[in-house]
Amino acid sequence: MPKQIDTILTNIGQLLTMESGGPRTGGSMQDLHVTEDAVIGISDGRIVFAGHQGAEEGYEARDIIDCGGRLVTPGLVDPHTHLVFGGSREKELNLKIQGMSYLDILAQGGGILSTVKDTKAASEEELIEKGLFHLGRMLSYGITTAEVKSGYGLDKDTELKQLTAAKKLGERQPVDLVTTFMGAHAIPPEYRNSPDEFLNRMLQLLPEIKEKGLAQFADIFTETGVFTVSQSRDYLKKASEAGFGLKIHADEIDPLGGAELAAELHAVSADHLVGASDEGIEKLAESGTIAVLLPGTTFYLGKHTYARAREMIDAGVRVSLATDFNPGSSPTENLQLIMSIAALHLKMTAEEIWHAVTVNAAYAIGKGEEAGQIKAGRAADIVIWEAPNYHYGVNHVHRVIKNGKTVVSREGAALG
């Protein structure tokens, strides 16, 4: 008698399971196993089997999904976003066009500080409603797991408000969220001459954040005009002692040594890395810290120098990609666009890019054993694509399945 399961995906033209025992690097990022004429079985929201046609023998499904010969992959993972924020910063676009740098905008009270003002003014429910809108867009582009940072509060009440909103967002919609406390995102004007005091105030929040389960990671912006390597080292060590995984906004603009610090502290990830030094790249490869590259930010800021992905991969660094979705320097929820930019400007191959937005991205946020792969026993987070297709800036999603249920239709609109 056939075993009853919920769903069988059949007539899969090409299946990328992305199975891996850990994050990929070097030549292994080119090793993309493709199963043609494949099937997937799903029951109770989890994968039962995935393989060549015929693997479904002995099973009977209540629902059959004909994939029409399309490409099927795991749900995408976005390992760096600033999802929860108030207001918007479209007025800064003209300043960027006129040649004003990000640090100049920040010095005039714009940038992060502008969003901090708007986020403080927003209620928790307003932040949640705004977040739901953006998460719906992310899901429509095939993202089924994402990281969310705070950092637009810079004070106790607003940082906790952001983190609480992020936690509730994880409960109110399908995308799985991992939360990072980034109170050390900028120096508030009132602490401009006493940044160490500000960092101590942020550290004082860690026990409450841990007790309430509001964040899994701690992050800091190590950059010119923000926090030094020395300040960042002290801050992150104390965050680690408090039980948080570590992340660093490292060497986004200047090569301060953030990459080296991330490696020294064995941070889970070092993010941005446009200005990473040769030594920093070497240290990241040795430490196993994952590089989260954000080419959409470089693109939107009109910069011509991108992170050295080719050299990182060749050196043995584990590379992933993310949107850096935020209201100022990368206002996009479209990870597919980031994949295109990675091919065109980071010179990454298609095989490397698929690893960077699935397996490696999942490990970059501590979800490597849960997300980013199609494998028996794992959650059925699956995307069916309209491919092959090399068009950029458009949505190639045909269907998104989250925990075994269709959550995005052919048109790419999230189902209510």
Side-chain angles (χ1 to χ4, degrees), residues 271-355:
D271 301 26
H272 284 291
L273 299 171
V274 176
S277 67
D278 292 343
E279 182 181 0
I281 291 174
E282 180 182 344
K283 294 293 185 183
L284 290 175
E286 293 172 356
S287 70
T289 296
I290 297 174
V292 178
L293 306 185
L294 311 166
T297 306
T298 306
F299 173 81
Y300 189 75
L301 292 178
K303 303 292 185 179
H304 301 292
T305 301
Y306 285 78
R308 294 184 287 161
R310 278 264 52 85
E311 293 171 56
M312 291 180 190
I313 293 171
D314 294 343
V317 178
R318 296 145 180 83
V319 169
S320 66
L321 293 166
T323 61
D324 191 20
F325 171 60
N326 72 76
S329 60
S330 189
T332 182
E333 302 94 332
N334 187 353
L335 189 54
Q336 295 175 46
L337 177 59
I338 304 306
M339 294 164 71
S340 295
I341 296 173
L344 295 170
H345 291 286
L346 301 187
K347 307 304 180 185
M348 293 175 66
T349 67
E351 292 85 355
E352 291 165 346
I353 290 168
W354 278 116
H355 283 104

Coordinates of all heavy atoms in Angstrom, one line a residue, residues 271-355:
D271 N 30.9 41.6 7.2 CA 30.0 42.0 6.1 C 30.5 43.3 5.5 O 31.1 44.2 6.1 CB 28.6 42.3 6.7 CG 28.0 41.0 7.4 OD1 28.8 40.2 7.8 OD2 26.8 40.9 7.5
H272 N 30.2 43.5 4.2 CA 30.7 44.6 3.3 C 32.0 44.2 2.7 O 32.1 43.8 1.6 CB 30.7 45.9 4.1 CG 29.4 46.5 4.3 ND1 28.6 47.0 3.2 CD2 28.7 46.8 5.4 CE1 27.5 47.5 3.7 NE2 27.5 47.4 5.0
L273 N 33.1 44.6 3.4 CA 34.5 44.2 3.0 C 35.0 44.8 1.7 O 35.9 44.3 1.1 CB 34.6 42.7 2.9 CG 34.3 41.9 4.2 CD1 34.2 40.4 4.0 CD2 35.4 42.2 5.3
V274 N 34.4 45.9 1.3 CA 34.8 46.5 0.0 C 36.3 47.0 0.1 O 37.1 46.9 -0.8 CB 33.9 47.8 -0.3 CG1 34.5 48.5 -1.6 CG2 32.5 47.3 -0.6
G275 N 36.7 47.4 1.3 CA 38.0 47.9 1.5 C 38.9 46.9 2.2 O 40.0 47.3 2.7
A276 N 38.5 45.7 2.3 CA 39.3 44.7 3.0 C 40.7 44.5 2.4 O 40.9 44.5 1.2 CB 38.6 43.3 3.0
S277 N 41.7 44.4 3.3 CA 43.1 44.3 2.8 C 43.4 42.9 2.4 O 42.7 41.9 2.7 CB 44.1 44.7 4.0 OG 44.0 43.8 5.0
D278 N 44.6 42.7 1.8 CA 45.1 41.4 1.4 C 45.2 40.5 2.7 O 44.8 39.3 2.7 CB 46.4 41.4 0.7 CG 46.3 42.1 -0.7 OD1 45.2 42.2 -1.2 OD2 47.3 42.5 -1.3
E279 N 45.8 41.1 3.7 CA 45.9 40.4 5.0 C 44.6 40.0 5.5 O 44.4 38.9 6.1 CB 46.7 41.2 6.0 CG 47.0 40.4 7.3 CD 47.7 41.3 8.3 OE1 48.1 42.4 8.0 OE2 48.0 40.8 9.4
G280 N 43.6 40.9 5.5 CA 42.3 40.6 6.0 C 41.6 39.5 5.2 O 41.0 38.6 5.9
I281 N 41.8 39.4 3.9 CA 41.2 38.3 3.2 C 41.9 37.0 3.6 O 41.2 36.0 3.7 CB 41.4 38.6 1.6 CG1 40.5 39.8 1.2 CG2 41.1 37.3 0.8 CD1 40.7 40.2 -0.2
E282 N 43.2 37.0 3.7 CA 43.9 35.8 4.1 C 43.5 35.3 5.5 O 43.2 34.1 5.7 CB 45.4 36.1 4.2 CG 46.3 34.9 4.6 CD 47.8 35.3 4.6 OE1 48.2 36.3 4.1 OE2 48.5 34.5 5.2
K283 N 43.3 36.3 6.4 CA 42.8 35.9 7.8 C 41.4 35.3 7.8 O 41.1 34.4 8.5 CB 42.9 37.1 8.7 CG 44.3 37.7 8.9 CD 45.2 36.7 9.7 CE 46.5 37.3 10.1 NZ 47.4 36.4 10.8
L284 N 40.5 35.9 7.0 CA 39.2 35.4 6.9 C 39.2 34.0 6.4 O 38.4 33.1 6.9 CB 38.3 36.3 5.9 CG 38.0 37.7 6.4 CD1 37.2 38.4 5.3 CD2 37.1 37.6 7.7
A285 N 40.0 33.7 5.4 CA 40.1 32.3 4.9 C 40.6 31.3 5.9 O 40.0 30.2 6.1 CB 41.0 32.3 3.7
E286 N 41.5 31.8 6.7 CA 42.1 30.9 7.8 C 41.1 30.7 8.9 O 41.0 29.6 9.5 CB 43.3 31.5 8.4 CG 44.5 31.6 7.4 CD 45.7 32.4 7.9 OE1 45.5 33.0 9.1 OE2 46.7 32.5 7.3
S287 N 40.3 31.7 9.2 CA 39.4 31.6 10.4 C 38.1 30.9 10.1 O 37.4 30.4 11.0 CB 39.0 33.0 10.9 OG 38.2 33.7 9.9
G288 N 37.7 30.9 8.8 CA 36.4 30.3 8.5 C 35.2 31.3 8.6 O 34.1 30.9 8.3
T289 N 35.5 32.5 9.0 CA 34.5 33.6 9.0 C 33.9 33.8 7.6 O 34.7 33.9 6.6 CB 35.1 34.9 9.5 OG1 35.5 34.7 10.9 CG2 34.1 36.0 9.5
I290 N 32.6 33.8 7.5 CA 32.0 34.0 6.2 C 31.9 35.5 5.8 O 31.5 36.3 6.6 CB 30.5 33.4 6.2 CG1 30.6 31.9 6.5 CG2 29.8 33.6 4.9 CD1 29.3 31.2 6.7
A291 N 32.3 35.7 4.6 CA 32.2 37.1 4.0 C 30.8 37.3 3.4 O 30.4 36.5 2.5 CB 33.3 37.3 2.9
V292 N 30.1 38.3 4.0 CA 28.8 38.6 3.4 C 29.0 39.9 2.6 O 29.2 41.0 3.1 CB 27.8 38.9 4.5 CG1 26.4 39.3 3.9 CG2 27.6 37.6 5.4
L293 N 28.9 39.7 1.3 CA 29.2 40.8 0.3 C 27.9 41.4 -0.1 O 26.8 40.8 -0.3 CB 29.9 40.3 -0.9 CG 31.2 39.5 -0.6 CD1 31.9 39.2 -1.9 CD2 32.1 40.3 0.3
L294 N 27.9 42.8 -0.2 CA 26.7 43.6 -0.4 C 26.9 44.5 -1.6 O 26.9 45.7 -1.5 CB 26.4 44.4 0.8 CG 26.4 43.6 2.2 CD1 26.5 44.5 3.3 CD2 25.3 42.7 2.2
P295 N 26.9 43.9 -2.8 CA 27.2 44.7 -4.0 C 26.1 45.7 -4.4 O 26.3 46.7 -5.1 CB 27.4 43.6 -5.1 CG 26.6 42.5 -4.6 CD 26.8 42.5 -3.2
G296 N 24.9 45.4 -3.9 CA 23.8 46.4 -4.1 C 24.1 47.7 -3.5 O 23.7 48.8 -4.0
T297 N 24.8 47.7 -2.4 CA 25.1 49.0 -1.7 C 26.1 49.8 -2.5 O 26.0 51.0 -2.7 CB 25.7 48.7 -0.3 OG1 24.7 47.8 0.4 CG2 25.9 49.9 0.5
T298 N 27.1 49.1 -3.0 CA 28.1 49.7 -3.8 C 27.5 50.3 -5.1 O 27.8 51.4 -5.5 CB 29.2 48.7 -4.2 OG1 29.8 48.1 -3.1 CG2 30.3 49.4 -5.0
F299 N 26.6 49.5 -5.7 CA 25.9 49.9 -6.9 C 25.0 51.2 -6.6 O 25.1 52.2 -7.3 CB 25.0 48.8 -7.4 CG 24.1 49.1 -8.5 CD1 24.5 49.2 -9.8 CD2 22.7 49.4 -8.3 CE1 23.7 49.5 -10.9 CE2 21.9 49.8 -9.3 CZ 22.3 49.8 -10.6
Y300 N 24.3 51.2 -5.5 CA 23.3 52.3 -5.3 C 24.1 53.5 -4.9 O 23.6 54.6 -5.1 CB 22.3 51.9 -4.2 CG 21.2 52.8 -4.0 CD1 20.2 52.9 -4.9 CD2 21.2 53.7 -2.9 CE1 19.1 53.8 -4.8 CE2 20.2 54.6 -2.7 CZ 19.1 54.7 -3.7 OH 18.1 55.6 -3.5
L301 N 25.2 53.4 -4.2 CA 26.0 54.6 -3.8 C 26.8 55.1 -4.9 O 27.5 56.1 -4.8 CB 26.9 54.2 -2.6 CG 26.2 53.9 -1.3 CD1 27.2 53.5 -0.2 CD2 25.3 55.1 -0.8
G302 N 26.8 54.5 -6.1 CA 27.5 55.0 -7.3 C 29.0 54.8 -7.2 O 29.7 55.5 -7.9
K303 N 29.4 53.8 -6.4 CA 30.9 53.6 -6.3 C 31.3 52.7 -7.5 O 30.5 52.0 -8.1 CB 31.2 52.9 -5.0 CG 30.7 53.6 -3.7 CD 31.5 54.9 -3.5 CE 31.1 55.6 -2.2 NZ 31.9 56.8 -2.0
H304 N 32.6 52.8 -7.7 CA 33.2 52.0 -8.8 C 34.0 50.8 -8.4 O 34.4 49.9 -9.1 CB 34.0 52.9 -9.8 CG 33.2 54.0 -10.3 ND1 32.2 53.8 -11.3 CD2 33.3 55.3 -10.1 CE1 31.7 55.0 -11.6 NE2 32.3 55.9 -10.9
T305 N 34.3 50.8 -7.1 CA 35.1 49.7 -6.5 C 34.2 48.8 -5.7 O 33.6 49.2 -4.7 CB 36.2 50.3 -5.6 OG1 37.0 51.1 -6.4 CG2 37.1 49.1 -5.0
Y306 N 34.2 47.5 -6.1 CA 33.4 46.5 -5.4 C 34.3 45.6 -4.6 O 35.5 45.6 -4.8 CB 32.6 45.7 -6.5 CG 31.4 46.3 -7.1 CD1 31.6 47.3 -8.1 CD2 30.1 46.1 -6.7 CE1 30.6 47.9 -8.7 CE2 29.1 46.7 -7.3 CZ 29.3 47.6 -8.3 OH 28.2 48.3 -8.9
A307 N 33.7 44.9 -3.7 CA 34.4 43.9 -2.9 C 35.1 42.9 -3.8 O 34.5 42.5 -4.9 CB 33.4 43.2 -1.9
R308 N 36.2 42.5 -3.4 CA 37.1 41.6 -4.3 C 36.7 40.1 -4.1 O 37.4 39.3 -3.6 CB 38.5 41.8 -4.0 CG 39.0 43.2 -4.3 CD 40.5 43.3 -4.1 NE 40.9 43.4 -2.7 CZ 42.1 43.1 -2.2 NH1 43.0 42.7 -3.0 NH2 42.3 43.2 -0.9
A309 N 35.5 39.8 -4.6 CA 34.9 38.5 -4.5 C 35.8 37.4 -5.1 O 36.0 36.3 -4.5 CB 33.5 38.4 -5.1
R310 N 36.3 37.7 -6.3 CA 37.2 36.7 -7.0 C 38.4 36.3 -6.2 O 38.7 35.2 -6.0 CB 37.6 37.2 -8.4 CG 36.6 37.1 -9.5 CD 36.9 35.8 -10.3 NE 37.0 34.6 -9.6 CZ 35.9 33.9 -9.2 NH1 34.7 34.2 -9.4 NH2 36.1 32.7 -8.5
E311 N 39.1 37.4 -5.6 CA 40.2 37.1 -4.8 C 39.9 36.4 -3.5 O 40.6 35.5 -3.1 CB 41.0 38.4 -4.6 CG 41.6 39.0 -5.8 CD 42.1 40.4 -5.6 OE1 42.9 40.6 -4.7 OE2 41.7 41.4 -6.3
M312 N 38.7 36.7 -3.0 CA 38.3 36.1 -1.7 C 38.0 34.6 -2.0 O 38.5 33.7 -1.2 CB 37.0 36.8 -1.2 CG 37.3 38.2 -0.7 SD 35.7 38.9 0.0 CE 36.3 40.6 0.2
I313 N 37.3 34.3 -3.0 CA 37.0 32.9 -3.3 C 38.2 32.1 -3.6 O 38.4 31.0 -3.1 CB 36.0 32.8 -4.4 CG1 34.6 33.4 -4.0 CG2 35.8 31.4 -4.9 CD1 33.6 33.6 -5.1
D314 N 39.1 32.7 -4.4 CA 40.3 32.0 -4.8 C 41.2 31.8 -3.6 O 42.0 30.9 -3.5 CB 41.1 32.8 -5.9 CG 40.3 32.8 -7.2 OD1 39.4 32.0 -7.4 OD2 40.6 33.7 -8.0
A315 N 41.2 32.7 -2.6 CA 42.0 32.6 -1.4 C 41.4 31.6 -0.4 O 42.1 31.3 0.6 CB 42.1 34.0 -0.7
G316 N 40.2 31.2 -0.6 CA 39.5 30.2 0.3 C 38.5 30.8 1.3 O 38.1 30.1 2.2
V317 N 38.1 32.1 1.0 CA 37.1 32.7 1.9 C 35.7 32.1 1.5 O 35.4 31.9 0.3 CB 37.1 34.2 1.7 CG1 36.0 34.8 2.6 CG2 38.5 34.8 2.1
R318 N 34.9 31.9 2.5 CA 33.5 31.4 2.3 C 32.7 32.7 2.0 O 32.5 33.5 2.9 CB 33.0 30.7 3.5 CG 33.8 29.4 3.8 CD 34.0 29.1 5.3 NE 34.7 27.9 5.5 CZ 36.0 27.8 5.5 NH1 36.8 28.8 5.3 NH2 36.6 26.6 5.7
V319 N 32.2 32.8 0.8 CA 31.5 34.0 0.4 C 30.0 33.8 0.3 O 29.5 32.8 -0.3 CB 32.1 34.5 -1.0 CG1 31.2 35.6 -1.6 CG2 33.5 35.0 -0.8
S320 N 29.3 34.8 0.8 CA 27.8 34.8 0.6 C 27.4 36.2 0.1 O 28.2 37.1 0.1 CB 27.1 34.5 1.9 OG 27.3 35.5 2.9
L321 N 26.1 36.3 -0.3 CA 25.6 37.6 -0.8 C 24.3 38.0 -0.1 O 23.6 37.1 0.4 CB 25.3 37.4 -2.3 CG 26.4 37.2 -3.3 CD1 25.9 36.7 -4.6 CD2 27.2 38.5 -3.5
A322 N 24.1 39.3 0.0 CA 22.9 39.8 0.7 C 22.5 41.1 0.1 O 23.2 41.7 -0.6 CB 23.2 39.9 2.2
T323 N 21.2 41.5 0.4 CA 20.7 42.7 -0.2 C 21.2 43.9 0.6 O 21.3 45.0 0.0 CB 19.2 42.8 -0.1 OG1 18.7 42.7 1.3 CG2 18.5 41.7 -1.0
D324 N 21.5 43.8 1.9 CA 21.7 44.9 2.8 C 20.5 45.9 2.7 O 20.6 47.1 2.8 CB 23.0 45.7 2.4 CG 23.4 46.8 3.4 OD1 22.9 46.7 4.6 OD2 24.1 47.7 3.1
F325 N 19.3 45.3 2.6 CA 18.1 46.1 2.5 C 18.0 47.1 3.6 O 18.0 46.7 4.8 CB 16.9 45.2 2.5 CG 15.6 46.0 2.7 CD1 15.2 46.9 1.7 CD2 14.7 45.8 3.7 CE1 14.0 47.6 1.8 CE2 13.6 46.5 3.9 CZ 13.2 47.4 2.9
N326 N 18.0 48.4 3.3 CA 17.9 49.5 4.3 C 17.4 50.7 3.5 O 17.4 50.7 2.3 CB 19.2 49.7 4.9 CG 20.2 50.4 4.0 OD1 20.2 51.6 3.8 ND2 21.2 49.6 3.5
P327 N 16.9 51.7 4.3 CA 16.3 52.8 3.6 C 17.2 53.8 2.9 O 16.7 54.7 2.2 CB 15.5 53.5 4.8 CG 16.4 53.2 6.0 CD 16.8 51.8 5.7
G328 N 18.5 53.7 3.2 CA 19.4 54.7 2.6 C 20.4 54.3 1.6 O 20.4 54.8 0.5
S329 N 21.2 53.2 1.9 CA 22.3 52.8 0.9 C 21.9 51.6 0.1 O 22.7 51.3 -0.8 CB 23.5 52.6 1.7 OG 23.4 51.6 2.7
S330 N 20.9 50.9 0.4 CA 20.5 49.8 -0.5 C 19.0 49.5 -0.3 O 18.6 48.5 0.2 CB 21.3 48.5 -0.1 OG 21.1 47.5 -1.1
P331 N 18.1 50.4 -0.8 CA 16.7 50.2 -0.6 C 16.1 49.2 -1.7 O 15.4 49.6 -2.5 CB 16.1 51.6 -0.8 CG 17.1 52.3 -1.8 CD 18.4 51.7 -1.4
T332 N 16.5 47.9 -1.5 CA 15.9 46.9 -2.4 C 15.7 45.6 -1.6 O 16.5 45.2 -0.8 CB 16.8 46.6 -3.6 OG1 16.2 45.6 -4.4 CG2 18.2 46.1 -3.2
E333 N 14.6 45.0 -1.9 CA 14.3 43.7 -1.3 C 14.6 42.5 -2.3 O 14.3 41.4 -2.0 CB 12.8 43.6 -0.9 CG 12.3 44.6 0.0 CD 11.7 45.9 -0.6 OE1 12.1 46.2 -1.8 OE2 10.9 46.5 0.0
N334 N 15.2 42.9 -3.4 CA 15.3 42.0 -4.6 C 16.7 41.3 -4.6 O 17.7 41.8 -5.1 CB 15.1 42.7 -5.9 CG 15.1 41.8 -7.1 OD1 15.4 40.6 -7.0 ND2 14.7 42.4 -8.2
L335 N 16.8 40.1 -4.0 CA 18.1 39.4 -3.9 C 18.4 38.9 -5.3 O 19.6 38.7 -5.6 CB 18.0 38.2 -2.9 CG 19.3 37.5 -2.6 CD1 20.4 38.4 -2.1 CD2 19.0 36.4 -1.5
Q336 N 17.5 38.7 -6.2 CA 17.8 38.3 -7.5 C 18.6 39.4 -8.3 O 19.5 39.1 -9.0 CB 16.5 38.0 -8.3 CG 15.7 36.9 -7.8 CD 14.4 36.7 -8.6 OE1 14.3 36.8 -9.8 NE2 13.3 36.6 -7.8
L337 N 18.3 40.7 -8.0 CA 19.0 41.7 -8.6 C 20.5 41.7 -8.1 O 21.4 41.9 -8.8 CB 18.4 43.1 -8.3 CG 19.1 44.3 -8.7 CD1 19.3 44.3 -10.2 CD2 18.4 45.6 -8.3
I338 N 20.6 41.4 -6.8 CA 22.0 41.3 -6.2 C 22.7 40.2 -6.9 O 24.0 40.3 -7.1 CB 21.9 41.1 -4.7 CG1 21.1 42.2 -4.0 CG2 23.3 41.0 -4.1 CD1 21.5 43.6 -4.3
M339 N 22.1 39.1 -7.2 CA 22.7 38.0 -7.9 C 23.3 38.5 -9.3 O 24.4 38.1 -9.7 CB 21.8 36.8 -8.1 CG 21.4 36.2 -6.7 SD 19.9 35.1 -6.8 CE 20.6 33.7 -7.8
S340 N 22.5 39.3 -10.0 CA 22.9 39.8 -11.3 C 24.1 40.7 -11.1 O 25.1 40.7 -11.9 CB 21.7 40.6 -11.9 OG 20.7 39.7 -12.3
I341 N 24.1 41.6 -10.1 CA 25.2 42.5 -9.9 C 26.4 41.7 -9.5 O 27.6 42.1 -9.9 CB 24.8 43.6 -8.8 CG1 23.7 44.4 -9.2 CG2 26.0 44.4 -8.4 CD1 23.1 45.4 -8.2
A342 N 26.3 40.7 -8.8 CA 27.4 39.8 -8.4 C 28.1 39.2 -9.6 O 29.3 39.1 -9.7 CB 27.0 38.7 -7.4
A343 N 27.3 38.8 -10.6 CA 27.8 38.3 -11.8 C 28.5 39.3 -12.6 O 29.7 39.1 -13.1 CB 26.7 37.6 -12.6
L344 N 27.9 40.5 -12.7 CA 28.4 41.6 -13.6 C 29.6 42.3 -13.0 O 30.5 42.7 -13.7 CB 27.3 42.5 -14.0 CG 26.2 41.9 -14.8 CD1 25.0 42.9 -14.9 CD2 26.7 41.6 -16.2
H345 N 29.6 42.6 -11.7 CA 30.6 43.4 -11.1 C 31.5 42.7 -10.1 O 32.7 43.1 -9.9 CB 29.9 44.6 -10.3 CG 29.3 45.5 -11.3 ND1 30.0 46.4 -12.0 CD2 28.0 45.8 -11.6 CE1 29.2 47.2 -12.7 NE2 27.9 46.8 -12.5
L346 N 31.1 41.6 -9.5 CA 32.0 40.8 -8.7 C 32.6 39.7 -9.4 O 33.5 39.0 -8.9 CB 31.2 40.2 -7.5 CG 30.5 41.2 -6.5 CD1 30.0 40.5 -5.3 CD2 31.5 42.3 -6.1
K347 N 32.2 39.5 -10.7 CA 32.7 38.4 -11.6 C 32.6 37.0 -11.0 O 33.4 36.2 -11.2 CB 34.2 38.7 -11.9 CG 34.4 40.1 -12.5 CD 33.6 40.4 -13.7 CE 33.8 41.8 -14.2 NZ 32.9 42.2 -15.4
M348 N 31.5 36.8 -10.2 CA 31.2 35.5 -9.7 C 30.4 34.7 -10.7 O 29.6 35.2 -11.5 CB 30.3 35.6 -8.4 CG 31.1 36.3 -7.3 SD 30.0 36.5 -5.8 CE 29.7 34.8 -5.3
T349 N 30.7 33.4 -10.8 CA 30.0 32.5 -11.7 C 28.6 32.2 -11.2 O 28.3 32.4 -10.0 CB 30.8 31.2 -11.9 OG1 30.8 30.5 -10.7 CG2 32.2 31.5 -12.3
A350 N 27.8 31.6 -12.0 CA 26.4 31.2 -11.6 C 26.5 30.2 -10.5 O 25.7 30.3 -9.5 CB 25.7 30.7 -12.8
E351 N 27.4 29.3 -10.6 CA 27.6 28.2 -9.6 C 27.9 28.8 -8.2 O 27.3 28.5 -7.2 CB 28.6 27.2 -10.0 CG 28.3 26.4 -11.2 CD 28.6 27.0 -12.5 OE1 29.0 28.2 -12.5 OE2 28.4 26.4 -13.6
E352 N 28.8 29.8 -8.2 CA 29.2 30.4 -7.0 C 28.1 31.3 -6.4 O 27.9 31.3 -5.2 CB 30.4 31.3 -7.3 CG 31.7 30.6 -7.6 CD 32.8 31.4 -8.2 OE1 32.5 32.6 -8.6 OE2 34.0 31.0 -8.2
I353 N 27.4 31.9 -7.3 CA 26.2 32.7 -6.8 C 25.2 31.9 -6.1 O 24.6 32.3 -5.1 CB 25.7 33.6 -8.0 CG1 26.7 34.7 -8.4 CG2 24.3 34.2 -7.6 CD1 26.4 35.3 -9.7
W354 N 24.8 30.8 -6.7 CA 23.8 29.9 -6.1 C 24.2 29.5 -4.7 O 23.4 29.5 -3.8 CB 23.5 28.7 -7.0 CG 22.5 29.0 -8.1 CD1 22.8 28.9 -9.4 CD2 21.2 29.4 -7.9 NE1 21.6 29.3 -10.1 CE2 20.6 29.6 -9.3 CE3 20.3 29.6 -6.9 CZ2 19.3 30.0 -9.5 CZ3 19.0 30.1 -7.1 CH2 18.5 30.2 -8.4
H355 N 25.5 29.1 -4.6 CA 26.0 28.8 -3.2 C 25.9 30.0 -2.3 O 25.7 29.8 -1.1 CB 27.4 28.2 -3.3 CG 27.5 26.8 -3.8 ND1 28.0 26.5 -5.0 CD2 27.2 25.6 -3.2 CE1 27.9 25.2 -5.2 NE2 27.5 24.6 -4.1

